[in-house]
Amino acid sequence: MKLTSYIGSDGRESCGIVTGSIDQPEGIIDLGPRFRSLRELLADPEGLAFARSQAHGEANVSFADAQLLPVIPDPSKIFCVGVNFASHVKETGREMPAKPMIFLRFAESQVGANQPMLCPKVSDQFDYEGELAVIIGKRCRYVPEDKALDYVAGYSCYNDGSVRDWQRHTQQFSPGKNFVETGAFGPWMVTRDEIADVSALSMKTRLNGQEVQAATLDDLIFDVPALVSYCSSFITLQPGDVIICGTTGGVGAFHKPPLWMKEGDTVEVEISGIGILRNSIAKEAPDFAIL
């Protein structure tokens, strides 16, 4: 089952079930007004069961006409994991980490699929990072690794767009990871029951049609159960929380010369069995300000 968040032609935010295949989505079975958001659906103990009971109905929204939002538009927490692929550790020249490197994103830094990612006016070093997003389905704390997948609702694609010069101002990554509309999340969540072995999935990133990243998820240093267990140890995970698992080698910063995303580009993150997250790149207006 594929679940998405969107704005319909009536301007209403909602969530629903995507019909058709991951290669050819056709429509959306709207689950509003019972659930105003996908986070609200996941927080309801009967939410996923209700969605499954509706999954064979008729779509009442055209997928092409829906404005896709981030899969979870309003997560209470977004955890990002740094240098978590062995290939990426190698290209950065870092030592293999002993524990996950965790930093945070904020919800307003995200956009949905098919929406432009925004290169900020204060930098031209806007980099792509194709990643797997894990969406938490049940409240949990101190989850052992062998039980961790029981608390996962599903998976999605993520582009953890990074403003590299701001990321490197200090040892803290957060400024370069939280510019407005720099992270893309979508196009939908595939429920966990659809993915037999997440470590067997392959992931690719393409910039203007050229493959720039490729890996299988068994190259993760800390896999999905390890990350859920670790994060649940220092804070209570809630339905709709998101863990972004890290990127593989091939990021633009390590190309020679560096390969930055720029206005007019198209970037795609594809994960087998999940789908393709596609976004254009726009430049923030020179006079943009919120005062």
Side-chain angles (χ1 to χ4, degrees), residues 2-286:
K2 303 182 294 296
L3 295 168
T4 196
S5 299
Y6 70 98
I7 298 175
S9 57
D10 59 358
R12 177 176 58 89
E13 291 190 20
S14 191
C15 63
I17 304 164
V18 179
T19 63
S21 67
I22 62 174
D23 298 317
Q24 291 186 309
E26 297 171 357
I28 300 174
I29 302 170
D30 184 43
L31 296 177
R34 174 164 177 168
F35 297 110
R36 294 169 294 178
S37 71
L38 188 48
R39 178 182 174 187
E40 184 178 282
L41 182 151
L42 294 176
D44 187 323
E46 304 301 323
L48 283 174
F50 173 78
R52 289 190 181 95
S53 74
Q54 305 298 305
H56 298 292
E58 292 291 326
N60 48 9
V61 177
S62 166
F63 187 82
D65 293 340
Q67 177 186 335
L68 298 184
L69 297 169
V71 172
I72 307 292
D74 57 344
S76 67
K77 297 180 283 296
I78 306 170
F79 303 96
C80 303
V81 187
V83 288
N84 192 34
F85 273 81
S87 58
H88 189 42
V89 171
K90 182 178 179 180
E91 74 177 357
T92 63
R94 294 174 179 266
E95 296 293 327
M96 198 66 71
K99 298 290 183 182
M101 179 190 294
I102 305 292
F103 56 94
L104 301 177
R105 256 195 186 270
F106 303 111
E108 61 259 42
S109 72
Q110 303 184 123
V111 295
N114 305 324
Q115 305 303 310
M117 298 171 69
L118 205 55
C119 181
K121 64 182 182 179
V122 295
S123 176
D124 292 319
Q125 297 185 17
F126 192 27
D127 207 347
Y128 52 83
E129 290 194 12
E131 308 200 16
L132 172 74
V134 177
I135 297 101
I136 299 299
K138 294 187 289 186
R139 186 175 185 270
C140 58
R141 185 80 196 276
Y142 292 118
V143 178
E145 288 189 27
D146 63 351
K147 302 292 185 183
L149 291 182
D150 294 342
Y151 296 88
V152 171
Y155 306 101
S156 188
C157 305
Y158 208 99
N159 190 337
D160 186 28
S162 303
V163 183
R164 292 297 186 199
D165 47 349
W166 281 73
Q167 178 185 343
R168 292 169 173 163
H169 281 177
T170 71
Q171 292 182 341
Q172 302 300 317
F173 286 1
S174 293
K177 299 285 189 172
N178 280 289
F179 276 83
V180 173
E181 299 177 11
T182 54
F185 186 12
W188 45 65
M189 178 187 82
V190 174
T191 51
R192 181 173 55 86
D193 59 295
E194 299 284 335
I195 307 294
D197 180 6
V198 70
S199 69
L201 303 183
S202 61
M203 180 173 69
K204 297 178 180 179
T205 305
R206 292 181 290 270
L207 184 62
N208 299 324
Q210 176 185 354
E211 185 178 294
V212 289
Q213 291 183 294
T216 51
L217 296 182
D218 59 1
D219 194 42
L220 283 168
I221 299 165
F222 302 101
D223 62 10
V224 172
L227 293 174
V228 172
S229 178
Y230 185 82
C231 291
S232 75
S233 296
F234 66 83
I235 198 166
T236 301
L237 299 181
Q238 303 286 352
D241 285 353
V242 181
I243 301 173
I244 308 165
C245 296
T247 199
T248 187
V251 297
F254 292 100
H255 282 247
K256 297 184 184 301
L259 181 62
W260 308 124
M261 297 188 293
K262 60 187 185 303
E263 185 177 17
D265 285 349
T266 299
V267 60
E268 297 172 311
V269 176
E270 179 177 5
I271 303 179
S272 61
I274 296 177
I276 300 175
L277 168 64
R278 183 179 292 109
N279 298 88
S280 61
I281 305 300
K283 185 71 176 179
E284 190 175 65

